[in-house]
Amino acid sequence: MPSFEKCLTEVDVNKQVAIPRDFVQHLPDYEGGRTITFPVHDVSGKLWENFGYYIRKGKDYPKPVFQKDWRKYVRDKRLRPGDKIIFRVERNGDNGAPIYTIAAQKKIELFGSTIWSSEF
């Protein structure tokens, strides 16, 4: 199952999160010039109906980014720089349609060690 994991930065948390270019092949077809929205399920079962991605233009920042419900997800999960997300594409067993899922992990520093909490 295709997936990527990312440790979040200040920009990821406050604006939009860059996603790996090679992961775009697993997302809905990009039509160029506009944000493509699609539903994403988090591991708690909540549906984020308007997750969006687009590919930034220009040679300096041509990476694809998540936006729209991404910001709502960040606020809802109270994500901060240093926290981690795991984004996956699973397949519906009945018809093979893609099911997009996201999970968050909080970074916790405890007695000089880093531990990761599960979805909250």
Side-chain angles (χ1 to χ4, degrees), residues 84-111:
K84 192 185 300 184
I85 60 162
I86 301 164
F87 192 90
R88 281 180 254 198
V89 182
E90 300 173 11
R91 294 286 169 188
N92 181 313
D94 295 333
N95 61 16
I99 299 171
Y100 304 99
T101 62
I102 191 168
Q105 293 181 324
K106 292 289 252 180
K107 181 178 181 180
I108 301 169
E109 298 284 338
L110 190 61
F111 303 114

Side-chain angles (χ1 to χ4, degrees), residues 4-106:
F4 73 88
E5 187 174 297
K6 182 165 188 191
C7 191
L8 301 175
T9 66
E10 190 81 31
V11 172
D12 296 332
V13 169
N14 292 319
K15 190 172 181 185
Q16 58 197 10
V17 62
I19 58 178
R21 280 186 213 157
D22 61 345
F23 194 79
V24 170
Q25 67 183 323
H26 304 292
L27 297 175
D29 289 337
Y30 184 68
E31 298 170 9
R34 66 183 193 94
T35 300
I36 303 298
T37 59
F38 57 99
V40 174
H41 300 265
D42 69 25
V43 296
S44 71
K46 185 170 183 175
L47 175 63
W48 303 87
E49 294 186 37
N50 292 306
F51 239 75
Y53 86 97
Y54 83 105
I55 299 173
R56 296 180 289 192
K57 293 184 179 183
K59 61 183 177 182
D60 292 336
Y61 297 104
K63 287 186 176 182
V65 294
F66 282 148
Q67 50 179 200
K68 294 206 172 204
D69 273 1
W70 165 251
R71 291 288 307 128
K72 293 178 185 175
Y73 179 79
V74 167
R75 282 191 302 269
D76 187 71
K77 301 300 179 185
R78 298 182 180 173
L79 297 177
R80 296 175 182 251
D83 292 342
K84 192 185 300 184
I85 60 162
I86 301 164
F87 192 90
R88 281 180 254 198
V89 182
E90 300 173 11
R91 294 286 169 188
N92 181 313
D94 295 333
N95 61 16
I99 299 171
Y100 304 99
T101 62
I102 191 168
Q105 293 181 324
K106 292 289 252 180

